[in-house]
Amino acid sequence: MKLTNIIGFAAALLCCAPFAGAQEEGAAQDKLRAYVQAGKMKKPAVQVIEAAGGKNVFQYIPKGAVDQKMQMDVKSCALFMLMTPDDLVDAIGEYRAGDLDAARKELAKVKQKYARYLGLPGNPSAIASVYELKTAVRQKDWAAVPGLADGLPKDDPSLNDFDLTVAKVAPVVAAAANGGDAAPVEAMLKDKELLKTVSSEVYGWLCYAHACALEAKVKGGVTAENAKTAGEAIDRFCQCVVSHHGVSPELPVDAMKRAFNLLWNMPGVQDYAKSVKTPLDAKAWSGAPVNFRDAVAMAQLLKTVYDPEAKDEVVDKAATYYYNAAKDRKKD
């Protein structure tokens, strides 16, 4: 029987060619199932989906048939919901747990394995593509980001406006974070329409990338002449940390380390460190330059909260200057 994509025929098709059940014999393990309700059906049924037959069109084999594929438009259904396969669930679990190498490998497999379902809402191939791109950003694999962003199926119904913004923002972030021009990312940070579909995490990407581009301008060392630019980079790095709170740690930790390095190298900071002894008392702390106190506080946060297992001699040294006023406060 030839494939039919006549939407008007879909309801009648259900009457004479009912959906196959969940226990259909011989169904391949890589075939997806969906909850489907259409036509005169009073409740959803589980149907094995063979593939997409176009955007929002799914192919299936009616119950009792062997190779007679039918087509139906999702829009003609009261309910169409693809079940998420276990391998995608596992890959996203690895992503959320921070096992990024394993997650990226599995996401690439899922993207390829279920590619024939592209065009259907909620298909795992499109979803895996978004997560694969976000994984590359978390890994700071800037060389891979543009290609992954370009490969996203941008007209797929599975992707929402926020996903499409990820695809648009990621290559700009990659270029700026890799020492490129700050202007494109600056423009995005000022684009009010774009920001409507930017999540807190992706806003953090933009802040991080902008900070990296600014930092590149002071690579020769922080001086009185470029201290303002260094300060702007520090502010953006801190905004990255705030925007990522509770989301993912990779960019925030790197942002804090870079911000600390800029602060520690600000004019007068290390000179003041050499002029005082540890531990500091209230007078020495309150009389310290602002940049010194900020650098020390950031070093303390890195050691106690954000990256306690890291070994960094400069951070360790700076943290020894931290003054905890609560310890000196007299009890009533």
Side-chain angles (χ1 to χ4, degrees):
M1 180 178 179
K2 294 182 179 180
L3 295 179
T4 175
N5 59 4
I6 304 174
I7 298 175
F9 184 62
L13 183 64
L14 288 172
C15 298
C16 61
F19 285 145
Q23 302 301 321
E24 176 181 310
E25 296 182 2
Q29 291 184 354
D30 63 345
K31 289 183 180 179
L32 296 178
R33 287 172 167 78
Y35 291 108
V36 181
Q37 184 177 4
K40 297 180 180 180
M41 296 173 66
K42 294 182 179 180
K43 60 181 182 179
V46 177
Q47 170 64 36
V48 175
I49 307 300
E50 298 293 318
K55 188 173 182 179
N56 289 316
V57 175
F58 66 92
Q59 298 177 351
Y60 73 100
I61 297 177
K63 185 177 180 180
V66 178
D67 58 359
Q68 292 180 317
K69 289 183 181 179
M70 301 289 193
Q71 287 197 161
M72 184 176 293
D73 195 302
V74 171
K75 295 178 182 178
S76 70
C77 300
L79 173 69
F80 178 86
M81 185 172 67
L82 281 172
M83 297 181 185
T84 305
D86 290 343
D87 40 8
L88 178 58
V89 173
D90 292 342
I92 292 176
E94 290 168 338
Y95 170 87
R96 291 175 175 168
D99 191 354
L100 301 183
D101 288 337
R104 190 163 165 190
K105 182 179 179 181
E106 292 306 312
L107 288 165
K109 289 181 179 179
V110 170
K111 180 176 69 173
Q112 182 65 32
K113 180 179 179 181
Y114 299 105
R116 68 181 183 278
Y117 294 99
L118 286 169
L120 296 179
N123 77 80
S125 183
I127 295 170
S129 297
V130 176
Y131 274 96
E132 185 183 21
L133 173 56
K134 293 172 73 173
T135 302
V137 173
R138 287 178 64 178
Q139 292 177 312
K140 299 188 289 292
D141 186 358
W142 306 128
V145 166
L148 291 172
D150 186 60
L152 244 62
K154 299 177 180 62
D155 62 343
D156 193 277
S158 304
L159 305 188
N160 58 34
D161 289 342
F162 285 84
D163 296 327
L164 296 176
T165 298
V166 166
K168 184 176 182 180
V169 166
V172 176
V173 165
N178 206 25
D181 187 8
V185 75
E186 285 178 354
M188 284 189 166
L189 283 165
K190 296 176 182 178
D191 188 335
K192 293 182 179 179
E193 285 301 313
L194 177 75
L195 294 178
K196 289 178 181 178
T197 54
V198 167
S199 67
S200 176
E201 179 183 18
V202 175
Y203 185 79
W205 295 0
L206 288 166
C207 293
Y208 176 86
H210 188 210
C212 289
L214 293 172
E215 179 192 39
K217 297 180 180 181
V218 297
K219 277 296 184 182
V222 183
T223 64
E225 288 73 23
N226 61 28
K228 182 179 179 181
T229 300
E232 292 173 353
I234 292 165
D235 289 344
R236 284 300 192 193
F237 278 134
C238 291
Q239 288 173 357
C240 167
V241 175
V242 173
S243 295
H244 274 82
H245 182 69
V247 181
S248 58
E250 293 80 15
L251 292 188
V253 169
D254 191 54
M256 287 198 72
K257 289 178 178 179
R258 289 173 179 242
F260 164 77
N261 285 328
L262 288 171
L263 283 164
W264 193 246
N265 286 285
M266 282 288 199
V269 169
Q270 293 185 45
D271 290 338
Y272 186 80
K274 294 175 183 177
S275 71
V276 293
K277 296 181 179 180
T278 58
L280 269 63
D281 56 21
K283 182 178 180 181
W285 180 256
S286 62
V290 172
N291 287 331
F292 174 87
R293 295 200 300 268
D294 287 347
V296 170
M298 196 162 291
Q300 181 70 3
L301 277 173
L302 279 166
K303 282 183 60 66
T304 59
V305 178
Y306 284 90
D307 202 15
E309 297 181 2
K311 295 181 180 180
D312 188 311
E313 292 182 2
V314 179
V315 171
D316 291 345
K317 177 183 177 181
T320 63
Y321 292 95
Y322 183 70
Y323 172 71
N324 189 341
K327 289 185 177 180
D328 285 351
R329 191 178 297 123
K330 294 182 179 180
K331 295 184 180 180
D332 295 334

